[in-house]
Amino acid sequence: MDNHYKQFYGSARMKYDDLYESEKRIFGLLNLQNRSILDVGCALGGFYNVFKSLDSSAKYTGIDFSESLILEAKNRYPEANFIKMDATQLEFENNSFDIVVCNSVQAHIPNYRSLISEVYRVAKYSCVLDTRLTFQNTQNIGDEDLSYYVLNMGEMFEIIEKLENLQTFVLHSNKITPNKNKLHSKDYVDVGVFSGLFLFEKQAK
């Protein structure tokens, strides 16, 4: 799987033009000037380039569970800070980073509740979270190689209600089609899946 990520992220997701329109909209709401940014699930670290192009004063840290990806990220961007770490057990204090960004991670984490809680916990001002949502029951529509957890809308909003010090949030959503070659049931093919990109703004203590 690491080789797949290296191939994809080696040629994509490393400049502003690679961003989805929803990301451009959400990132445009962030104050990046002299802000510390944590990129959770950084892969090869391409978002270091993205944030530096948006504001050169931004201070970037990337984490990923894969040691192989972290080593490659360090080789590509030696001036940045990269750490191997489990996103469901972040080794940072509360409010450690001004902004926390977590893209393309939630859908592949069985313990997604801990992931959401952790990325929000370590954010001081803003947390950007990419999710996969459905009006049906929460389910894993992946396979033995790669999980793909799609959250019921009601469950996601139940999680949001429990976030402490949340002041406002913005949601940018659009319907997407999972990789049907990886699905093993017609029921899964018919699942309505939405990409939900959240921006949580919190009151720092």
Side-chain angles (χ1 to χ4, degrees), residues 82-94:
F82 294 103
I83 308 169
K84 181 184 181 299
M85 194 178 296
D86 182 349
T88 65
Q89 299 179 5
L90 294 176
E91 301 167 22
F92 302 115
E93 300 293 330
N94 294 351

Side-chain angles (χ1 to χ4, degrees), residues 18 25 43 81 85 112 126 139 141 147 161 166 170 172:
D18 291 338
R25 177 172 175 263
N81 184 30
M85 194 178 296
Y112 53 81
S126 304
Q139 56 194 293
I141 61 173
S147 300
E161 286 178 352
L166 178 63
V170 174
H172 190 291

Side-chain angles (χ1 to χ4, degrees), residues 158-189:
E158 173 199 332
I159 293 171
I160 292 173
E161 286 178 352
K162 295 178 180 178
L163 298 177
E164 295 184 0
N165 304 315
L166 178 63
Q167 297 301 298
T168 61
F169 72 87
V170 174
L171 168 63
H172 190 291
S173 180
N174 59 281
K175 191 169 184 179
I176 61 174
T177 303
N179 182 357
K180 292 177 179 164
N181 294 325
K182 293 289 187 180
L183 304 182
H184 302 294
S185 163
K186 184 178 183 301
D187 293 338
Y188 290 156
V189 174

Side-chain angles (χ1 to χ4, degrees), residues 10-27:
S11 59
R13 307 288 284 163
M14 52 188 175
K15 56 184 185 296
Y16 180 78
D17 288 344
D18 291 338
L19 296 180
Y20 303 120
E21 289 305 314
S22 57
E23 292 171 327
K24 291 178 181 178
R25 177 172 175 263
I26 293 292
F27 288 1

Side-chain angles (χ1 to χ4, degrees), residues 13 23 27 39-41 47 101-105 128-130 197:
R13 307 288 284 163
E23 292 171 327
F27 288 1
D39 181 9
V40 177
F47 269 31
V101 175
C102 183
N103 276 10
S104 302
V105 177
V128 177
L129 176 68
D130 172 43
L197 187 63

